[in-house]
């Protein structure tokens, strides 16, 4: 897995899977839309709670007990997009380098895709990245950011 290097998109015939990582409300979804462009596919676990739960697709109907079902649903959408030959796929699920992320990466690589890690490019994410790098010294400032991000997240999720 490589870090994102070229923002111009895939070269002719190249299939790219971007694995987004970053904290809630740091701009992952915005960056995902940029990377996917008009032809790409975004696989976002949160979409399950808009499209598969409740009656109103405009409302985020989060149900904690269905989180595993949401993850499986998102993975199936991702696998379908890879198998369909989609040239750009963005997995927007707050990826860390964990087993679930590796499952996405392995599936894509095994089918000839290039896998890149991508992050938001919002100014606040750039600040937080530096703070996280030196977290043993920046704890209080990170706590303030955590409160701000939680408030921002509540305004768009789980309301």
């Amino acid at each position: 897995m490589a870090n994102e290097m070229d923002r111009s998109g895939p070269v002719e015939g190249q299939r790219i899977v971007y694995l987004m990582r970053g904290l809630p409300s740091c701009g992952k979804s915005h960056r995902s839309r940029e990377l996917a462009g008009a032809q790409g596919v975004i696989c976002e676990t949160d979409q399950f709670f808009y499209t598969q739960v409740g009656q109103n697709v405009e409302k985020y109907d989060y149900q904690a007990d269905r989180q595993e079902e949401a993850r499986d649903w998102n993975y199936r959408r991702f696998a379908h997009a890879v198998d369909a030959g989609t040239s750009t796929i963005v997995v927007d699920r707050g990826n860390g380098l964990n087993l679930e992320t590796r499952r996405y990466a392995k599936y894509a690589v095994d089918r000839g895709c290039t896998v890149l890690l991508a992050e938001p490019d919002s100014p606040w994410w750039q600040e937080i990245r530096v703070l996280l790098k030196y977290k043993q010294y920046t704890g209080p400032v990170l706590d303030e950011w955590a409160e701000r991000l939680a408030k921002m997240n509540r305004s768009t999720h789980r309301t």
Side-chain angles (χ1 to χ4, degrees):
M1 241 182 317
N3 284 322
E4 174 189 359
M5 294 181 196
D6 180 9
R7 294 175 176 235
S8 63
V11 200
E12 185 66 33
Q14 182 182 26
R15 296 177 2 185
I16 295 181
V17 171
Y18 292 100
L19 299 175
M20 290 300 301
R21 65 179 175 180
L23 299 171
S25 296
C26 279
K28 287 188 309 295
S29 295
H30 173 76
R31 184 74 182 118
S32 293
R33 287 188 298 274
E34 288 179 345
L35 292 169
Q39 303 302 314
V41 171
I42 300 171
C43 297
E44 180 182 18
T45 302
D46 277 347
Q47 284 302 313
F48 176 86
F49 298 105
Y50 283 105
T51 63
Q52 307 301 302
V53 180
Q55 302 298 316
N56 181 355
V57 295
E58 301 294 319
K59 185 173 183 292
Y60 185 76
D61 291 308
Y62 181 73
Q63 295 176 11
D65 62 328
R66 296 187 71 183
Q67 186 64 41
E68 191 61 36
E69 181 184 357
R71 286 186 185 117
D72 291 343
W73 174 85
N74 194 51
Y75 185 79
R76 285 191 308 274
R77 290 181 63 233
F78 161 78
H80 177 73
V82 169
D83 294 343
T86 305
S87 63
T88 305
I89 303 167
V90 183
V91 180
D92 178 4
R93 45 170 292 283
N95 296 292
L97 295 178
N98 58 33
L99 288 177
E100 188 174 353
T101 301
R102 289 183 185 148
R103 179 171 85 148
Y104 281 87
K106 181 172 178 8
Y107 193 91
V109 168
D110 286 351
R111 285 150 183 85
C113 299
T114 300
V115 176
L116 300 173
L117 293 177
E119 295 180 346
D121 55 6
S122 66
W124 58 95
W125 175 246
Q126 300 311 314
E127 180 179 337
I128 291 168
R129 285 186 73 221
V130 173
L131 294 171
L132 287 169
K133 187 173 183 176
Y134 301 103
K135 62 185 170 191
Q136 68 271 27
Y137 308 110
T138 60
V141 179
L142 281 170
D143 290 342
E144 290 174 24
W145 266 113
E147 286 297 319
R148 271 192 266 177
L149 292 173
K151 185 176 182 181
M152 290 167 59
N153 194 50
R154 283 191 296 271
S155 72
T156 58
H157 295 82
R158 299 182 179 116
T159 55

